[in-house]
Amino acid sequence: MQNRLALVVTTPPNSNLTTTAINLVKAAIDSGVSIIGVFFYQDGVLNAAKYLSIPSDEFQTLAQWQQLNSEYKVPLYLCITAAEKRGLSDELNNHESSNIDSAFTVSGLGELVELTSKAERVVQL
């Protein structure tokens, strides 16, 4: 049986712990561990902000999450309640498009329950 790992990211994109989460996902994939999903909660939802401006000389967390999603098909789940509390929405007023990056799937805490029930290990950062 293959190891199944789920992550819960509660730290913002400029946190060293977020960088650690990205590196953990990469190391797990390199070791043959199946990443069944990354759930973004609390300030972690800011990782999905499409228009967040991070200086070019700093670690680009959004680009890293996008790469993990596109290259390795790592599911990225975003708690919509926590996101809306922080100004992120998949339905904005005045016909504006979502300010949540398309690599992220909007979900709720039910998705976190699903991940924890399917994973052999859950890591929160």
Side-chain angles (χ1 to χ4, degrees):
M1 180 173 8
Q2 187 178 20
N3 290 328
R4 292 181 308 271
L5 176 67
L7 273 82
V8 180
V9 176
T10 59
T11 54
N14 60 344
S15 170
N16 288 336
L17 288 175
T18 301
T19 304
T20 299
I22 291 167
N23 290 335
L24 176 61
V25 170
K26 290 178 180 180
I29 290 169
D30 289 345
S31 299
V33 174
S34 174
I35 305 296
I36 63 169
V38 180
F39 188 83
F40 295 85
Y41 189 55
Q42 296 172 342
D43 283 346
V45 299
L46 296 173
N47 284 277
K50 189 188 297 186
Y51 303 116
L52 187 65
S53 179
I54 296 178
S56 61
D57 63 340
E58 293 182 18
F59 189 73
Q60 300 298 308
T61 52
L62 179 57
Q64 294 295 311
W65 290 122
Q66 290 168 331
Q67 179 186 17
L68 289 169
N69 177 258
S70 65
E71 188 173 332
Y72 298 104
K73 306 300 181 224
V74 173
L76 306 174
Y77 299 105
L78 185 73
C79 177
I80 191 60
T81 303
E84 287 177 345
K85 287 181 181 179
R86 289 159 179 84
L88 299 176
S89 177
D90 58 344
E91 296 178 14
L92 297 176
N93 296 330
N94 302 327
H95 307 290
E96 296 176 33
S97 63
S98 169
N99 59 1
I100 297 172
D101 188 82
S102 62
F104 294 80
T105 301
V106 172
S107 64
L109 289 176
E111 190 64 48
L112 178 58
V113 172
E114 283 288 318
L115 286 174
T116 58
S117 69
K118 293 178 182 176
E120 293 171 345
R121 293 177 191 231
V122 179
V123 176
Q124 178 182 340
L125 294 159

mmCIF file with all atom_site columns, all heavy atoms in Angstrom, residues 39-41 45 77-91 98-100 105-109:
data_model
loop_
_atom_site.group_PDB
_atom_site.id
_atom_site.type_symbol
_atom_site.label_atom_id
_atom_site.label_alt_id
_atom_site.label_comp_id
_atom_site.label_asym_id
_atom_site.label_entity_id
_atom_site.label_seq_id
_atom_site.pdbx_PDB_ins_code
_atom_site.Cartn_x
_atom_site.Cartn_y
_atom_site.Cartn_z
_atom_site.occupancy
_atom_site.B_iso_or_equiv
_atom_site.pdbx_formal_charge
_atom_site.auth_seq_id
_atom_site.auth_comp_id
_atom_site.auth_asym_id
_atom_site.auth_atom_id
_atom_site.pdbx_PDB_model_num
ATOM 1   N N   . PHE A 1 39  ? -4.858  21.298 2.037   1.00 0.00 ? 39  PHE A N   1
ATOM 2   C CA  . PHE A 1 39  ? -6.013  22.094 2.434   1.00 0.00 ? 39  PHE A CA  1
ATOM 3   C C   . PHE A 1 39  ? -5.508  23.393 3.039   1.00 0.00 ? 39  PHE A C   1
ATOM 4   O O   . PHE A 1 39  ? -4.708  23.392 3.967   1.00 0.00 ? 39  PHE A O   1
ATOM 5   C CB  . PHE A 1 39  ? -6.869  21.333 3.456   1.00 0.00 ? 39  PHE A CB  1
ATOM 6   C CG  . PHE A 1 39  ? -8.173  22.006 3.763   1.00 0.00 ? 39  PHE A CG  1
ATOM 7   C CD1 . PHE A 1 39  ? -9.269  21.827 2.935   1.00 0.00 ? 39  PHE A CD1 1
ATOM 8   C CD2 . PHE A 1 39  ? -8.303  22.825 4.884   1.00 0.00 ? 39  PHE A CD2 1
ATOM 9   C CE1 . PHE A 1 39  ? -10.477 22.450 3.212   1.00 0.00 ? 39  PHE A CE1 1
ATOM 10  C CE2 . PHE A 1 39  ? -9.513  23.451 5.170   1.00 0.00 ? 39  PHE A CE2 1
ATOM 11  C CZ  . PHE A 1 39  ? -10.600 23.267 4.329   1.00 0.00 ? 39  PHE A CZ  1
ATOM 12  N N   . PHE A 1 40  ? -5.987  24.514 2.499   1.00 0.00 ? 40  PHE A N   1
ATOM 13  C CA  . PHE A 1 40  ? -5.565  25.834 2.953   1.00 0.00 ? 40  PHE A CA  1
ATOM 14  C C   . PHE A 1 40  ? -6.644  26.408 3.854   1.00 0.00 ? 40  PHE A C   1
ATOM 15  O O   . PHE A 1 40  ? -7.811  26.531 3.454   1.00 0.00 ? 40  PHE A O   1
ATOM 16  C CB  . PHE A 1 40  ? -5.314  26.749 1.748   1.00 0.00 ? 40  PHE A CB  1
ATOM 17  C CG  . PHE A 1 40  ? -4.167  26.279 0.906   1.00 0.00 ? 40  PHE A CG  1
ATOM 18  C CD1 . PHE A 1 40  ? -4.360  25.322 -0.080  1.00 0.00 ? 40  PHE A CD1 1
ATOM 19  C CD2 . PHE A 1 40  ? -2.883  26.766 1.116   1.00 0.00 ? 40  PHE A CD2 1
ATOM 20  C CE1 . PHE A 1 40  ? -3.301  24.862 -0.849  1.00 0.00 ? 40  PHE A CE1 1
ATOM 21  C CE2 . PHE A 1 40  ? -1.820  26.314 0.359   1.00 0.00 ? 40  PHE A CE2 1
ATOM 22  C CZ  . PHE A 1 40  ? -2.029  25.354 -0.622  1.00 0.00 ? 40  PHE A CZ  1
ATOM 23  N N   . TYR A 1 41  ? -6.228  26.775 5.078   1.00 0.00 ? 41  TYR A N   1
ATOM 24  C CA  . TYR A 1 41  ? -7.160  27.215 6.102   1.00 0.00 ? 41  TYR A CA  1
ATOM 25  C C   . TYR A 1 41  ? -6.546  28.393 6.855   1.00 0.00 ? 41  TYR A C   1
ATOM 26  O O   . TYR A 1 41  ? -5.333  28.586 6.819   1.00 0.00 ? 41  TYR A O   1
ATOM 27  C CB  . TYR A 1 41  ? -7.452  26.037 7.039   1.00 0.00 ? 41  TYR A CB  1
ATOM 28  C CG  . TYR A 1 41  ? -8.558  26.266 8.023   1.00 0.00 ? 41  TYR A CG  1
ATOM 29  C CD1 . TYR A 1 41  ? -9.817  26.653 7.609   1.00 0.00 ? 41  TYR A CD1 1
ATOM 30  C CD2 . TYR A 1 41  ? -8.340  26.071 9.384   1.00 0.00 ? 41  TYR A CD2 1
ATOM 31  C CE1 . TYR A 1 41  ? -10.842 26.852 8.525   1.00 0.00 ? 41  TYR A CE1 1
ATOM 32  C CE2 . TYR A 1 41  ? -9.355  26.263 10.303  1.00 0.00 ? 41  TYR A CE2 1
ATOM 33  C CZ  . TYR A 1 41  ? -10.611 26.663 9.868   1.00 0.00 ? 41  TYR A CZ  1
ATOM 34  O OH  . TYR A 1 41  ? -11.615 26.866 10.766  1.00 0.00 ? 41  TYR A OH  1
ATOM 35  N N   . VAL A 1 45  ? -5.120  30.555 3.417   1.00 0.00 ? 45  VAL A N   1
ATOM 36  C CA  . VAL A 1 45  ? -5.906  30.816 2.209   1.00 0.00 ? 45  VAL A CA  1
ATOM 37  C C   . VAL A 1 45  ? -5.298  31.932 1.371   1.00 0.00 ? 45  VAL A C   1
ATOM 38  O O   . VAL A 1 45  ? -5.537  32.004 0.163   1.00 0.00 ? 45  VAL A O   1
ATOM 39  C CB  . VAL A 1 45  ? -7.385  31.139 2.534   1.00 0.00 ? 45  VAL A CB  1
ATOM 40  C CG1 . VAL A 1 45  ? -8.055  29.962 3.231   1.00 0.00 ? 45  VAL A CG1 1
ATOM 41  C CG2 . VAL A 1 45  ? -7.514  32.412 3.353   1.00 0.00 ? 45  VAL A CG2 1
ATOM 42  N N   . TYR A 1 77  ? -6.956  22.558 -2.056  1.00 0.00 ? 77  TYR A N   1
ATOM 43  C CA  . TYR A 1 77  ? -8.305  22.873 -1.607  1.00 0.00 ? 77  TYR A CA  1
ATOM 44  C C   . TYR A 1 77  ? -8.286  24.125 -0.737  1.00 0.00 ? 77  TYR A C   1
ATOM 45  O O   . TYR A 1 77  ? -7.455  24.254 0.157   1.00 0.00 ? 77  TYR A O   1
ATOM 46  C CB  . TYR A 1 77  ? -8.895  21.710 -0.813  1.00 0.00 ? 77  TYR A CB  1
ATOM 47  C CG  . TYR A 1 77  ? -8.997  20.443 -1.616  1.00 0.00 ? 77  TYR A CG  1
ATOM 48  C CD1 . TYR A 1 77  ? -8.112  19.395 -1.415  1.00 0.00 ? 77  TYR A CD1 1
ATOM 49  C CD2 . TYR A 1 77  ? -9.981  20.295 -2.583  1.00 0.00 ? 77  TYR A CD2 1
ATOM 50  C CE1 . TYR A 1 77  ? -8.195  18.231 -2.154  1.00 0.00 ? 77  TYR A CE1 1
ATOM 51  C CE2 . TYR A 1 77  ? -10.082 19.131 -3.328  1.00 0.00 ? 77  TYR A CE2 1
ATOM 52  C CZ  . TYR A 1 77  ? -9.181  18.104 -3.104  1.00 0.00 ? 77  TYR A CZ  1
ATOM 53  O OH  . TYR A 1 77  ? -9.267  16.956 -3.843  1.00 0.00 ? 77  TYR A OH  1
ATOM 54  N N   . LEU A 1 78  ? -9.223  25.015 -0.979  1.00 0.00 ? 78  LEU A N   1
ATOM 55  C CA  . LEU A 1 78  ? -9.275  26.301 -0.300  1.00 0.00 ? 78  LEU A CA  1
ATOM 56  C C   . LEU A 1 78  ? -10.555 26.418 0.505   1.00 0.00 ? 78  LEU A C   1
ATOM 57  O O   . LEU A 1 78  ? -11.657 26.287 -0.056  1.00 0.00 ? 78  LEU A O   1
ATOM 58  C CB  . LEU A 1 78  ? -9.213  27.416 -1.349  1.00 0.00 ? 78  LEU A CB  1
ATOM 59  C CG  . LEU A 1 78  ? -9.135  28.833 -0.841  1.00 0.00 ? 78  LEU A CG  1
ATOM 60  C CD1 . LEU A 1 78  ? -7.757  29.106 -0.265  1.00 0.00 ? 78  LEU A CD1 1
ATOM 61  C CD2 . LEU A 1 78  ? -9.433  29.805 -1.957  1.00 0.00 ? 78  LEU A CD2 1
ATOM 62  N N   . CYS A 1 79  ? -10.432 26.652 1.798   1.00 0.00 ? 79  CYS A N   1
ATOM 63  C CA  . CYS A 1 79  ? -11.620 26.845 2.635   1.00 0.00 ? 79  CYS A CA  1
ATOM 64  C C   . CYS A 1 79  ? -12.241 28.187 2.274   1.00 0.00 ? 79  CYS A C   1
ATOM 65  O O   . CYS A 1 79  ? -11.653 29.245 2.520   1.00 0.00 ? 79  CYS A O   1
ATOM 66  C CB  . CYS A 1 79  ? -11.255 26.809 4.114   1.00 0.00 ? 79  CYS A CB  1
ATOM 67  S SG  . CYS A 1 79  ? -12.677 27.122 5.186   1.00 0.00 ? 79  CYS A SG  1
ATOM 68  N N   . ILE A 1 80  ? -13.421 28.159 1.687   1.00 0.00 ? 80  ILE A N   1
ATOM 69  C CA  . ILE A 1 80  ? -14.042 29.379 1.190   1.00 0.00 ? 80  ILE A CA  1
ATOM 70  C C   . ILE A 1 80  ? -14.447 30.305 2.332   1.00 0.00 ? 80  ILE A C   1
ATOM 71  O O   . ILE A 1 80  ? -14.373 31.532 2.189   1.00 0.00 ? 80  ILE A O   1
ATOM 72  C CB  . ILE A 1 80  ? -15.231 29.080 0.248   1.00 0.00 ? 80  ILE A CB  1
ATOM 73  C CG1 . ILE A 1 80  ? -15.686 30.362 -0.459  1.00 0.00 ? 80  ILE A CG1 1
ATOM 74  C CG2 . ILE A 1 80  ? -16.361 28.404 0.991   1.00 0.00 ? 80  ILE A CG2 1
ATOM 75  C CD1 . ILE A 1 80  ? -14.642 31.044 -1.306  1.00 0.00 ? 80  ILE A CD1 1
ATOM 76  N N   . THR A 1 81  ? -14.847 29.773 3.460   1.00 0.00 ? 81  THR A N   1
ATOM 77  C CA  . THR A 1 81  ? -15.231 30.634 4.589   1.00 0.00 ? 81  THR A CA  1
ATOM 78  C C   . THR A 1 81  ? -14.030 31.430 5.082   1.00 0.00 ? 81  THR A C   1
ATOM 79  O O   . THR A 1 81  ? -14.121 32.644 5.283   1.00 0.00 ? 81  THR A O   1
ATOM 80  C CB  . THR A 1 81  ? -15.831 29.796 5.732   1.00 0.00 ? 81  THR A CB  1
ATOM 81  O OG1 . THR A 1 81  ? -16.949 29.060 5.232   1.00 0.00 ? 81  THR A OG1 1
ATOM 82  C CG2 . THR A 1 81  ? -16.275 30.669 6.881   1.00 0.00 ? 81  THR A CG2 1
ATOM 83  N N   . ALA A 1 82  ? -12.905 30.769 5.263   1.00 0.00 ? 82  ALA A N   1
ATOM 84  C CA  . ALA A 1 82  ? -11.686 31.467 5.690   1.00 0.00 ? 82  ALA A CA  1
ATOM 85  C C   . ALA A 1 82  ? -11.226 32.443 4.614   1.00 0.00 ? 82  ALA A C   1
ATOM 86  O O   . ALA A 1 82  ? -10.723 33.531 4.919   1.00 0.00 ? 82  ALA A O   1
ATOM 87  C CB  . ALA A 1 82  ? -10.582 30.453 5.999   1.00 0.00 ? 82  ALA A CB  1
ATOM 88  N N   . ALA A 1 83  ? -11.400 32.066 3.347   1.00 0.00 ? 83  ALA A N   1
ATOM 89  C CA  . ALA A 1 83  ? -10.995 32.935 2.243   1.00 0.00 ? 83  ALA A CA  1
ATOM 90  C C   . ALA A 1 83  ? -11.834 34.207 2.226   1.00 0.00 ? 83  ALA A C   1
ATOM 91  O O   . ALA A 1 83  ? -11.293 35.316 2.100   1.00 0.00 ? 83  ALA A O   1
ATOM 92  C CB  . ALA A 1 83  ? -11.112 32.190 0.921   1.00 0.00 ? 83  ALA A CB  1
ATOM 93  N N   . GLU A 1 84  ? -13.137 34.060 2.350   1.00 0.00 ? 84  GLU A N   1
ATOM 94  C CA  . GLU A 1 84  ? -14.022 35.229 2.314   1.00 0.00 ? 84  GLU A CA  1
ATOM 95  C C   . GLU A 1 84  ? -13.754 36.174 3.475   1.00 0.00 ? 84  GLU A C   1
ATOM 96  O O   . GLU A 1 84  ? -13.856 37.394 3.317   1.00 0.00 ? 84  GLU A O   1
ATOM 97  C CB  . GLU A 1 84  ? -15.479 34.784 2.275   1.00 0.00 ? 84  GLU A CB  1
ATOM 98  C CG  . GLU A 1 84  ? -15.855 34.210 0.930   1.00 0.00 ? 84  GLU A CG  1
ATOM 99  C CD  . GLU A 1 84  ? -17.276 33.679 0.852   1.00 0.00 ? 84  GLU A CD  1
ATOM 100 O OE1 . GLU A 1 84  ? -17.909 33.488 1.927   1.00 0.00 ? 84  GLU A OE1 1
ATOM 101 O OE2 . GLU A 1 84  ? -17.746 33.444 -0.269  1.00 0.00 ? 84  GLU A OE2 1
ATOM 102 N N   . LYS A 1 85  ? -13.392 35.640 4.625   1.00 0.00 ? 85  LYS A N   1
ATOM 103 C CA  . LYS A 1 85  ? -13.043 36.490 5.769   1.00 0.00 ? 85  LYS A CA  1
ATOM 104 C C   . LYS A 1 85  ? -11.805 37.337 5.486   1.00 0.00 ? 85  LYS A C   1
ATOM 105 O O   . LYS A 1 85  ? -11.578 38.345 6.134   1.00 0.00 ? 85  LYS A O   1
ATOM 106 C CB  . LYS A 1 85  ? -12.781 35.632 7.013   1.00 0.00 ? 85  LYS A CB  1
ATOM 107 C CG  . LYS A 1 85  ? -14.015 35.050 7.626   1.00 0.00 ? 85  LYS A CG  1
ATOM 108 C CD  . LYS A 1 85  ? -13.658 34.241 8.852   1.00 0.00 ? 85  LYS A CD  1
ATOM 109 C CE  . LYS A 1 85  ? -14.882 33.620 9.477   1.00 0.00 ? 85  LYS A CE  1
ATOM 110 N NZ  . LYS A 1 85  ? -14.557 32.799 10.659  1.00 0.00 ? 85  LYS A NZ  1
ATOM 111 N N   . ARG A 1 86  ? -11.003 36.898 4.507   1.00 0.00 ? 86  ARG A N   1
ATOM 112 C CA  . ARG A 1 86  ? -9.755  37.590 4.176   1.00 0.00 ? 86  ARG A CA  1
ATOM 113 C C   . ARG A 1 86  ? -9.815  38.281 2.812   1.00 0.00 ? 86  ARG A C   1
ATOM 114 O O   . ARG A 1 86  ? -8.801  38.607 2.226   1.00 0.00 ? 86  ARG A O   1
ATOM 115 C CB  . ARG A 1 86  ? -8.599  36.600 4.256   1.00 0.00 ? 86  ARG A CB  1
ATOM 116 C CG  . ARG A 1 86  ? -8.305  36.210 5.710   1.00 0.00 ? 86  ARG A CG  1
ATOM 117 C CD  . ARG A 1 86  ? -7.552  34.902 5.816   1.00 0.00 ? 86  ARG A CD  1
ATOM 118 N NE  . ARG A 1 86  ? -7.268  34.586 7.206   1.00 0.00 ? 86  ARG A NE  1
ATOM 119 C CZ  . ARG A 1 86  ? -8.124  33.968 8.034   1.00 0.00 ? 86  ARG A CZ  1
ATOM 120 N NH1 . ARG A 1 86  ? -9.323  33.612 7.617   1.00 0.00 ? 86  ARG A NH1 1
ATOM 121 N NH2 . ARG A 1 86  ? -7.791  33.714 9.281   1.00 0.00 ? 86  ARG A NH2 1
ATOM 122 N N   . GLY A 1 87  ? -11.021 38.479 2.302   1.00 0.00 ? 87  GLY A N   1
ATOM 123 C CA  . GLY A 1 87  ? -11.213 39.245 1.080   1.00 0.00 ? 87  GLY A CA  1
ATOM 124 C C   . GLY A 1 87  ? -11.091 38.473 -0.212  1.00 0.00 ? 87  GLY A C   1
ATOM 125 O O   . GLY A 1 87  ? -11.070 39.068 -1.287  1.00 0.00 ? 87  GLY A O   1
ATOM 126 N N   . LEU A 1 88  ? -11.011 37.152 -0.144  1.00 0.00 ? 88  LEU A N   1
ATOM 127 C CA  . LEU A 1 88  ? -10.942 36.333 -1.353  1.00 0.00 ? 88  LEU A CA  1
ATOM 128 C C   . LEU A 1 88  ? -12.325 35.765 -1.641  1.00 0.00 ? 88  LEU A C   1
ATOM 129 O O   . LEU A 1 88  ? -13.026 35.336 -0.735  1.00 0.00 ? 88  LEU A O   1
ATOM 130 C CB  . LEU A 1 88  ? -9.943  35.192 -1.189  1.00 0.00 ? 88  LEU A CB  1
ATOM 131 C CG  . LEU A 1 88  ? -8.500  35.585 -0.940  1.00 0.00 ? 88  LEU A CG  1
ATOM 132 C CD1 . LEU A 1 88  ? -7.648  34.342 -0.709  1.00 0.00 ? 88  LEU A CD1 1
ATOM 133 C CD2 . LEU A 1 88  ? -7.959  36.388 -2.087  1.00 0.00 ? 88  LEU A CD2 1
ATOM 134 N N   . SER A 1 89  ? -12.677 35.756 -2.914  1.00 0.00 ? 89  SER A N   1
ATOM 135 C CA  . SER A 1 89  ? -13.988 35.242 -3.281  1.00 0.00 ? 89  SER A CA  1
ATOM 136 C C   . SER A 1 89  ? -13.954 34.671 -4.689  1.00 0.00 ? 89  SER A C   1
ATOM 137 O O   . SER A 1 89  ? -13.213 35.157 -5.546  1.00 0.00 ? 89  SER A O   1
ATOM 138 C CB  . SER A 1 89  ? -15.029 36.362 -3.209  1.00 0.00 ? 89  SER A CB  1
ATOM 139 O OG  . SER A 1 89  ? -16.283 35.886 -3.628  1.00 0.00 ? 89  SER A OG  1
ATOM 140 N N   . ASP A 1 90  ? -14.771 33.657 -4.911  1.00 0.00 ? 90  ASP A N   1
ATOM 141 C CA  . ASP A 1 90  ? -14.890 33.122 -6.270  1.00 0.00 ? 90  ASP A CA  1
ATOM 142 C C   . ASP A 1 90  ? -16.033 33.792 -7.015  1.00 0.00 ? 90  ASP A C   1
ATOM 143 O O   . ASP A 1 90  ? -16.238 33.547 -8.189  1.00 0.00 ? 90  ASP A O   1
ATOM 144 C CB  . ASP A 1 90  ? -15.040 31.600 -6.260  1.00 0.00 ? 90  ASP A CB  1
ATOM 145 C CG  . ASP A 1 90  ? -16.237 31.120 -5.467  1.00 0.00 ? 90  ASP A CG  1
ATOM 146 O OD1 . ASP A 1 90  ? -16.781 31.909 -4.673  1.00 0.00 ? 90  ASP A OD1 1
ATOM 147 O OD2 . ASP A 1 90  ? -16.612 29.954 -5.620  1.00 0.00 ? 90  ASP A OD2 1
ATOM 148 N N   . GLU A 1 91  ? -16.771 34.680 -6.333  1.00 0.00 ? 91  GLU A N   1
ATOM 149 C CA  . GLU A 1 91  ? -17.852 35.433 -6.965  1.00 0.00 ? 91  GLU A CA  1
ATOM 150 C C   . GLU A 1 91  ? -17.792 36.876 -6.478  1.00 0.00 ? 91  GLU A C   1
ATOM 151 O O   . GLU A 1 91  ? -18.282 37.196 -5.404  1.00 0.00 ? 91  GLU A O   1
ATOM 152 C CB  . GLU A 1 91  ? -19.204 34.833 -6.601  1.00 0.00 ? 91  GLU A CB  1
ATOM 153 C CG  . GLU A 1 91  ? -19.405 33.427 -7.110  1.00 0.00 ? 91  GLU A CG  1
ATOM 154 C CD  . GLU A 1 91  ? -20.748 32.860 -6.680  1.00 0.00 ? 91  GLU A CD  1
ATOM 155 O OE1 . GLU A 1 91  ? -21.613 33.620 -6.219  1.00 0.00 ? 91  GLU A OE1 1
ATOM 156 O OE2 . GLU A 1 91  ? -20.908 31.648 -6.824  1.00 0.00 ? 91  GLU A OE2 1
ATOM 157 N N   . SER A 1 98  ? -12.971 36.197 -10.372 1.00 0.00 ? 98  SER A N   1
ATOM 158 C CA  . SER A 1 98  ? -12.513 35.734 -9.067  1.00 0.00 ? 98  SER A CA  1
ATOM 159 C C   . SER A 1 98  ? -11.100 36.230 -8.783  1.00 0.00 ? 98  SER A C   1
ATOM 160 O O   . SER A 1 98  ? -10.275 36.354 -9.678  1.00 0.00 ? 98  SER A O   1
ATOM 161 C CB  . SER A 1 98  ? -12.538 34.204 -9.052  1.00 0.00 ? 98  SER A CB  1
ATOM 162 O OG  . SER A 1 98  ? -11.888 33.711 -7.919  1.00 0.00 ? 98  SER A OG  1
ATOM 163 N N   . ASN A 1 99  ? -10.812 36.492 -7.508  1.00 0.00 ? 99  ASN A N   1
ATOM 164 C CA  . ASN A 1 99  ? -9.444  36.836 -7.130  1.00 0.00 ? 99  ASN A CA  1
ATOM 165 C C   . ASN A 1 99  ? -8.728  35.640 -6.505  1.00 0.00 ? 99  ASN A C   1
ATOM 166 O O   . ASN A 1 99  ? -7.709  35.790 -5.855  1.00 0.00 ? 99  ASN A O   1
ATOM 167 C CB  . ASN A 1 99  ? -9.409  38.063 -6.213  1.00 0.00 ? 99  ASN A CB  1
ATOM 168 C CG  . ASN A 1 99  ? -10.199 37.878 -4.929  1.00 0.00 ? 99  ASN A CG  1
ATOM 169 O OD1 . ASN A 1 99  ? -10.778 36.827 -4.667  1.00 0.00 ? 99  ASN A OD1 1
ATOM 170 N ND2 . ASN A 1 99  ? -10.238 38.920 -4.118  1.00 0.00 ? 99  ASN A ND2 1
ATOM 171 N N   . ILE A 1 100 ? -9.264  34.454 -6.758  1.00 0.00 ? 100 ILE A N   1
ATOM 172 C CA  . ILE A 1 100 ? -8.648  33.194 -6.317  1.00 0.00 ? 100 ILE A CA  1
ATOM 173 C C   . ILE A 1 100 ? -8.021  32.533 -7.531  1.00 0.00 ? 100 ILE A C   1
ATOM 174 O O   . ILE A 1 100 ? -8.663  32.378 -8.569  1.00 0.00 ? 100 ILE A O   1
ATOM 175 C CB  . ILE A 1 100 ? -9.703  32.263 -5.682  1.00 0.00 ? 100 ILE A CB  1
ATOM 176 C CG1 . ILE A 1 100 ? -10.287 32.915 -4.419  1.00 0.00 ? 100 ILE A CG1 1
ATOM 177 C CG2 . ILE A 1 100 ? -9.108  30.902 -5.376  1.00 0.00 ? 100 ILE A CG2 1
ATOM 178 C CD1 . ILE A 1 100 ? -11.461 32.169 -3.826  1.00 0.00 ? 100 ILE A CD1 1
ATOM 179 N N   . THR A 1 105 ? -9.066  24.713 -5.692  1.00 0.00 ? 105 THR A N   1
ATOM 180 C CA  . THR A 1 105 ? -10.458 24.302 -5.713  1.00 0.00 ? 105 THR A CA  1
ATOM 181 C C   . THR A 1 105 ? -11.133 24.838 -4.459  1.00 0.00 ? 105 THR A C   1
ATOM 182 O O   . THR A 1 105 ? -10.694 24.546 -3.342  1.00 0.00 ? 105 THR A O   1
ATOM 183 C CB  . THR A 1 105 ? -10.576 22.765 -5.737  1.00 0.00 ? 105 THR A CB  1
ATOM 184 O OG1 . THR A 1 105 ? -9.901  22.271 -6.894  1.00 0.00 ? 105 THR A OG1 1
ATOM 185 C CG2 . THR A 1 105 ? -12.021 22.319 -5.738  1.00 0.00 ? 105 THR A CG2 1
ATOM 186 N N   . VAL A 1 106 ? -12.168 25.622 -4.654  1.00 0.00 ? 106 VAL A N   1
ATOM 187 C CA  . VAL A 1 106 ? -12.909 26.173 -3.527  1.00 0.00 ? 106 VAL A CA  1
ATOM 188 C C   . VAL A 1 106 ? -13.691 25.039 -2.867  1.00 0.00 ? 106 VAL A C   1
ATOM 189 O O   . VAL A 1 106 ? -14.367 24.263 -3.541  1.00 0.00 ? 106 VAL A O   1
ATOM 190 C CB  . VAL A 1 106 ? -13.847 27.294 -4.011  1.00 0.00 ? 106 VAL A CB  1
ATOM 191 C CG1 . VAL A 1 106 ? -14.772 27.747 -2.906  1.00 0.00 ? 106 VAL A CG1 1
ATOM 192 C CG2 . VAL A 1 106 ? -13.033 28.461 -4.551  1.00 0.00 ? 106 VAL A CG2 1
ATOM 193 N N   . SER A 1 107 ? -13.576 24.938 -1.550  1.00 0.00 ? 107 SER A N   1
ATOM 194 C CA  . SER A 1 107 ? -14.251 23.866 -0.819  1.00 0.00 ? 107 SER A CA  1
ATOM 195 C C   . SER A 1 107 ? -14.568 24.347 0.591   1.00 0.00 ? 107 SER A C   1
ATOM 196 O O   . SER A 1 107 ? -14.405 25.514 0.908   1.00 0.00 ? 107 SER A O   1
ATOM 197 C CB  . SER A 1 107 ? -13.366 22.613 -0.794  1.00 0.00 ? 107 SER A CB  1
ATOM 198 O OG  . SER A 1 107 ? -12.177 22.866 -0.069  1.00 0.00 ? 107 SER A OG  1
ATOM 199 N N   . GLY A 1 108 ? -14.987 23.419 1.409   1.00 0.00 ? 108 GLY A N   1
ATOM 200 C CA  . GLY A 1 108 ? -15.310 23.728 2.796   1.00 0.00 ? 108 GLY A CA  1
ATOM 201 C C   . GLY A 1 108 ? -14.619 22.753 3.729   1.00 0.00 ? 108 GLY A C   1
ATOM 202 O O   . GLY A 1 108 ? -13.804 21.928 3.298   1.00 0.00 ? 108 GLY A O   1
ATOM 203 N N   . LEU A 1 109 ? -14.963 22.839 4.985   1.00 0.00 ? 109 LEU A N   1
ATOM 204 C CA  . LEU A 1 109 ? -14.324 21.970 5.971   1.00 0.00 ? 109 LEU A CA  1
ATOM 205 C C   . LEU A 1 109 ? -14.646 20.496 5.747   1.00 0.00 ? 109 LEU A C   1
ATOM 206 O O   . LEU A 1 109 ? -13.903 19.629 6.196   1.00 0.00 ? 109 LEU A O   1
ATOM 207 C CB  . LEU A 1 109 ? -14.715 22.395 7.385   1.00 0.00 ? 109 LEU A CB  1
ATOM 208 C CG  . LEU A 1 109 ? -14.098 23.714 7.857   1.00 0.00 ? 109 LEU A CG  1
ATOM 209 C CD1 . LEU A 1 109 ? -14.637 24.084 9.234   1.00 0.00 ? 109 LEU A CD1 1
ATOM 210 C CD2 . LEU A 1 109 ? -12.584 23.620 7.881   1.00 0.00 ? 109 LEU A CD2 1
#
